[in-house]
Amino acid sequence: MAIKDYIRERFFPHMWCQGCGHGIVLNCLIRAIEKLGMSKNEIVLASGIGCSARIAGYVDFHTIHSLHGRALAFATGIKMSKPELCMIVPMGDGDALAIGGNHFIHAARRNIDMTAIVMNNRVYGMTGGQYSPLSGQGTLATTAPYSNIDQAFDTVELATAAGASFVARTTAYHVQQMTDMLRQAIMHEGFSVVEVLTQCPTYFGRKNKLGAAPQMLEFFKERTTPIGSKAKQNDPSLIERGIFVQKDMPEYCAEYEKIIEKATGRAAAKGN
Ligand SMILES: Cc1ncc(C[n+]2csc(CCOP(=O)(O)OP(=O)(O)O)c2C)c(N)n1
Ligand code: SF4
């Protein structure tokens, strides 16, 4: 299938600002799906609310644009009723880890088969640049004009500690790596988390004087490094990119199916 067959052309032009990284994620996601040769009828994309969540409007899969912070809850319900479908859940950092933080850790703990994409632009883009749990101490936001005093979550460490069986990080600059990571995450049977460091030039970039999109992408190029690189040993402040966790673990829907079989087998034996 051609790339354009996976998108809803009637909803373009998109609503993202010039230079926003969310379109890059959409592009890589569609390329990953095209590489897997998947039919659009076998994919469900569930999103919450946010600039990132608007991806749900642009792809021609089964889609649901639900409630802020609740994408994983909707996705869990859909996946449990139709486990044969491939579930993809793109979320902003606020959507995934502020209001949606509880859903995130429990979906990871259950190891339910879906791909959670955390589009981390370190800000609430859609609502005007408030700080998020990923903004980090010392950053500026419309709600932190004198500097943010909150420490940031490390998405990779959080997902790993909560039990996700596939955990990876990349950036909007590293498009080939992102496409390949998304492909692997979709193929993985279990809860997959792909954190994508991405740019919101309109709010995070402008408030923090980081320049326009090209400079923000340059930052991702210069300040990240492959996992375990020599550069990281020399400069611990560099952010690592790559696949941190990839392991086989019992998957939630498969385990639930066993329970159904046990219960129905017992009922049949009793003659019910
Ligand atoms: C229950 C609820 N609370 C708050 C909001 C307002 N709201 C909409 S999007 C958003 C944050 C968006 O930030 P993020 O999830 O990081 O995505 P981005 O827009 O940066 O891509 C908020 C607070 C809402 N729609 N629903
Ligand atoms: S406000 Fe930020 S996150 Fe939202 S579309 Fe604009 S650049 Fe992207």
Side-chain angles (χ1 to χ4, degrees):
M1 242 164 112
I3 296 281
K4 75 171 188 41
D5 295 329
Y6 288 109
I7 60 173
R8 293 179 181 144
E9 279 184 271
R10 66 186 185 280
F11 290 139
F12 282 74
H14 59 71
M15 53 73 76
W16 293 314
C17 308
Q18 199 175 10
C20 176
H22 292 343
I24 302 176
V25 180
L26 169 63
N27 194 332
C28 292
L29 176 64
I30 290 178
R31 281 168 202 278
I33 287 166
E34 192 243 3
K35 281 209 170 95
L36 287 167
M38 295 173 82
S39 132
K40 51 191 185 180
N41 285 332
E42 58 186 307
I43 304 168
V44 182
L45 186 139
S47 76
I49 300 291
C51 299
S52 39
R54 289 294 290 256
I55 278 192
Y58 303 133
V59 289
D60 201 22
F61 312 143
H62 302 289
T63 58
I64 174 166
H65 196 181
S66 69
L67 302 174
H68 187 45
R70 307 293 186 263
L72 287 168
F74 280 86
T76 298
I78 297 165
K79 181 72 184 174
M80 288 200 68
S81 66
K82 292 259 176 213
E84 67 278 13
L85 295 176
C86 166
M87 180 64 64
I88 299 172
V89 190
M91 296 171 285
D93 41 300
D95 205 19
L97 294 176
I99 191 169
N102 222 23
H103 292 297
F104 183 84
I105 57 175
H106 291 290
R109 176 177 64 82
R110 292 183 182 126
N111 195 38
I112 186 159
D113 183 23
M114 55 182 68
T115 297
I117 308 170
V118 181
M119 297 156 72
N120 178 9
N121 58 15
R122 305 177 67 188
V123 76
Y124 286 3
M126 179 163 267
T127 43
Q130 297 86 355
Y131 65 86
S132 89
L134 289 164
S135 300
Q137 205 182 35
T139 53
L140 297 172
T142 51
T143 45
Y146 302 104
S147 155
N148 177 23
I149 58 170
D150 280 20
Q151 298 287 349
F153 275 134
D154 179 320
T155 309
V156 164
E157 284 181 10
L158 183 68
T160 304
S165 54
F166 183 102
V167 182
R169 181 194 287 130
T170 186
T171 85
Y173 176 82
H174 300 91
V175 289
Q176 273 161 5
Q177 182 180 50
M178 194 197 318
T179 305
D180 194 54
M181 251 175 208
L182 290 171
R183 184 187 62 78
Q184 292 194 60
I186 291 168
M187 280 195 318
H188 178 79
E189 204 180 319
F191 192 69
S192 304
V193 177
V194 179
E195 180 186 25
V196 181
L197 307 184
T198 184
Q199 74 278 8
C200 169
T202 303
Y203 289 112
F204 194 78
R206 198 161 52 177
K207 262 276 173 224
N208 289 283
K209 301 199 169 32
L210 298 175
Q215 289 74 42
M216 294 182 83
L217 286 165
E218 190 85 24
F219 176 89
F220 295 142
K221 179 184 172 201
E222 302 299 334
R223 300 303 305 157
T224 65
T225 186
I227 297 172
S229 72
K230 204 149 188 196
K232 176 73 179 173
Q233 287 163 24
N234 295 336
D235 180 358
S237 71
L238 291 174
I239 301 165
E240 287 180 302
R241 284 183 285 111
I243 298 174
F244 295 80
V245 178
Q246 190 168 23
K247 59 183 179 189
D248 288 333
M249 276 175 61
E251 192 278 323
Y252 196 68
C253 296
E255 293 302 303
Y256 190 61
E257 197 50 47
K258 289 183 201 162
I259 296 296
I260 293 171
E261 274 164 29
K262 254 192 213 168
T264 49
R266 217 174 274 168
K270 277 191 194 160
N272 294 338

